[in-house]
Amino acid sequence: MGGIWLAQTHPVDRITQLTKWLLGGALVGVAVTLWVLFIISLEQVPAGEPIVLVLNDVGLFMAAGILLGYYATGLEAREQQLELSEQRFRALTENSSFAVITIDESSTIRYANDAVEDLFGYSPGLLTGEPLTTLMPDRLQEPHRDAMAQYLSAGERSPDWAGRELVGQRANGAEFPVEVSFGEYAVADEHLFTGVIQDVSDRKAAEHRLHQHTTKVTQLHEIATDITAADSRAAIHQRAADGAVELFGADVARVAVVEGDRLVPAASSSSEDIGDREPMPLSFGYAGQSYQTDTVLRVDDLADTRSTARSPIRDGGGESEPQPREDPRALLSIPLEGYGVLQVLASEPGAFTERDEDVAEMLATHVVTALDRVSAEATIRRERDRLEEFASLLSHDLRNPLNVAQVVWNSSR
């Protein structure tokens, strides 16, 4: 029955080990029995009397052997399972792109995988034995210790341990956003915690860009309302320049309008005198290029193009690109269909994003619509004035013959 139970509940290698312990106990029992019989009993049994062979000691040692073997093989099996689990854990974490850190109840780092070095700049060997607060900014260290003490004393997780967003600190002191998921487990008498950490800088930057874009679209609606309410081309140009600076966080914005074959400065968001700026040929510079192609142009760094000092579109002359007084680095050149160009400039390179090009196109649509409306209203006013003038002349011409007829009639009477 014991053999059947072992065969059903234990692996073959453990049964083999138990068998060895059983045989070992039997051999020890036989040896002790023989020693008792032939060493001790011979001195106490009278000569000529038979010696009774009692094997009770053998049974006791066999039972002791099986009990000790069962405990020893069980302990060995647990150690093997623990070692196997640890090997699997290391194989999983060491090949992971996420940083994995294990700490004990005192927040001392007990294990760190290789990805920790890529994320924080510390080698795993240097981190082992150091407090977890080494990877945190100073302002977060005390709250971490308080939260750990609260959990160990009351078992309350505050806040949640799954997908928690925190701030990490690299070896060079730089801070960056991380997302951490915690887990806990017990090994022997130790209470351990393991955290999986990933850098979410790219995700946070994308969220920030999306938020900025949404804010700009909302702000664009307010600017478009002001542009639509403007009652003249000059007012539309000025509101477009001022609104572009507000919308894109730029340093200056300028509007140039088409007059013949040139782009003539018409408005600026700064206090500069527009009359001091020279008109440019339609075939010259980024303004001419965006106007001719009817495409929003985004230049991340004007310093790169200033080194060549040549415009991508020119009329055959050797004239260089005009240098703005503020030496801006980033440019958005926005065509206004047949009316002209709105140029937005910033002092920081790469100040405008690809999403800003979409916002710029929407802004241009509102400006063009407002200019179309003002042009249509001006046309209607001119036609109305001409009709009124014609009606006045016609009334005058009709009134003169009637007056003559009235005089003749009166004289004849």
Side-chain angles (χ1 to χ4, degrees):
M1 291 179 65
I4 294 174
W5 175 73
L6 286 174
Q8 295 293 327
T9 58
H10 296 79
V12 177
D13 56 347
R14 189 175 181 189
I15 297 175
T16 302
Q17 292 294 326
L18 289 174
T19 303
K20 292 179 180 179
W21 276 88
L22 179 63
L23 293 175
L27 291 175
V28 172
V30 170
V32 170
T33 299
L34 292 176
W35 179 74
V36 170
L37 289 176
F38 292 100
I39 302 300
I40 299 177
S41 299
L42 287 176
E43 297 178 356
Q44 299 177 356
V45 176
E49 296 227 356
I51 299 175
V52 180
L53 181 59
V54 180
L55 298 179
N56 290 338
D57 293 339
V58 177
L60 292 175
F61 276 98
M62 289 175 65
I66 196 66
L67 290 175
L68 291 174
Y70 193 80
Y71 174 78
T73 54
L75 181 61
E76 183 180 357
R78 285 192 295 272
E79 291 177 350
Q80 290 177 350
Q81 290 176 356
L82 180 60
E83 183 178 358
L84 181 60
S85 298
E86 184 176 355
Q87 290 175 353
R88 290 174 178 172
F89 174 77
R90 290 183 178 275
L92 178 64
T93 57
E94 289 176 1
N95 294 321
S96 172
S97 58
F98 298 144
V100 180
I101 294 178
T102 299
I103 62 172
D104 58 20
E105 292 183 350
S106 63
S107 288
T108 301
I109 298 175
R110 304 291 294 275
Y111 169 79
N113 68 344
D114 294 336
V116 169
E117 184 169 5
D118 297 332
L119 196 61
F120 291 96
Y122 296 99
S123 66
L126 290 177
L127 279 180
T128 303
E130 295 294 323
L132 183 63
T133 51
T134 303
L135 307 178
M136 301 178 185
D138 293 341
R139 65 182 182 278
L140 298 181
Q141 293 181 8
E142 192 62 32
H144 165 75
R145 285 189 283 265
D146 292 342
M148 180 65 77
Q150 179 182 0
Y151 176 72
L152 292 176
S153 61
E156 297 179 1
R157 296 185 179 185
S158 177
D160 187 54
W161 288 7
R164 182 182 176 188
E165 290 188 0
L166 297 170
V167 178
Q169 181 173 283
R170 305 187 198 274
N172 60 7
E175 296 183 7
F176 64 106
V178 296
E179 183 178 273
V180 186
S181 294
F182 296 97
E184 61 177 323
Y185 59 97
V187 176
D189 295 330
E190 293 186 309
H191 192 184
L192 303 178
F193 303 85
T194 293
V196 178
I197 310 169
Q198 59 177 324
D199 186 350
V200 293
S201 299
D202 293 340
R203 189 184 75 191
K204 301 296 287 187
E207 291 175 352
H208 179 66
R209 289 193 296 269
L210 179 60
H211 175 72
Q212 282 186 322
H213 180 71
T214 304
T215 302
K216 286 178 180 178
V217 171
T218 303
Q219 190 176 7
L220 175 61
H221 176 72
E222 300 175 359
I223 295 172
T225 302
D226 294 340
I227 292 175
T228 303
D231 56 1
S232 67
R233 287 193 177 189
I236 293 173
H237 296 158
Q238 189 62 51
R239 187 63 187 107
D242 295 338
V245 171
E246 299 171 14
L247 193 59
F248 299 108
D251 295 323
V252 66
R254 303 184 183 110
V255 176
V257 297
V258 176
E259 293 185 7
D261 61 350
R262 303 179 75 80
L263 286 170
V264 180
S268 174
S269 62
S270 67
S271 59
E272 63 181 336
D273 187 358
I274 292 298
D276 294 340
R277 303 192 67 82
E278 295 293 330
M280 293 190 304
L282 285 174
S283 59
F284 181 80
Y286 290 114
Q289 183 181 5
S290 60
Y291 176 79
Q292 289 189 359
T293 60
D294 195 28
T295 304
V296 176
L297 294 181
R298 175 170 58 92
V299 182
D300 290 331
D301 195 345
L302 290 169
D304 296 338
T305 59
R306 288 176 191 142
S307 61
T308 60
R310 297 293 179 185
S311 169
I313 293 183
R314 55 184 184 273
D315 54 2
E319 186 181 6
S320 64
E321 181 86 11
Q323 300 300 306
R325 298 174 184 176
E326 300 85 357
D327 271 343
R329 300 289 296 275
L331 167 69
L332 270 180
S333 189
I334 309 168
L336 303 176
E337 292 190 4
Y339 294 102
V341 177
L342 168 62
Q343 290 195 302
V344 189
L345 301 120
S347 58
E348 294 185 5
F352 308 118
T353 66
E354 187 174 350
R355 288 179 179 268
D356 287 338
E357 297 180 33
D358 298 332
V359 178
E361 290 180 354
M362 291 187 283
L363 174 62
T365 299
H366 291 295
V367 174
V368 170
T369 300
L371 290 172
D372 287 341
R373 176 183 55 79
V374 170
S375 297
E377 290 175 351
T379 301
I380 291 172
R381 280 196 300 270
R382 286 194 301 268
E383 293 297 328
R384 184 182 61 195
D385 292 343
R386 290 171 61 185
L387 286 173
E388 289 178 353
E389 182 181 359
F390 176 75
S392 176
L393 291 175
L394 182 61
S395 174
H396 180 270
D397 292 343
L398 289 174
R399 229 181 2 254
N400 285 338
L402 291 174
N403 290 336
V404 172
Q406 183 66 31
V407 170
V408 172
W409 171 261
N410 291 332
S411 62
S412 64
R413 293 178 62 187

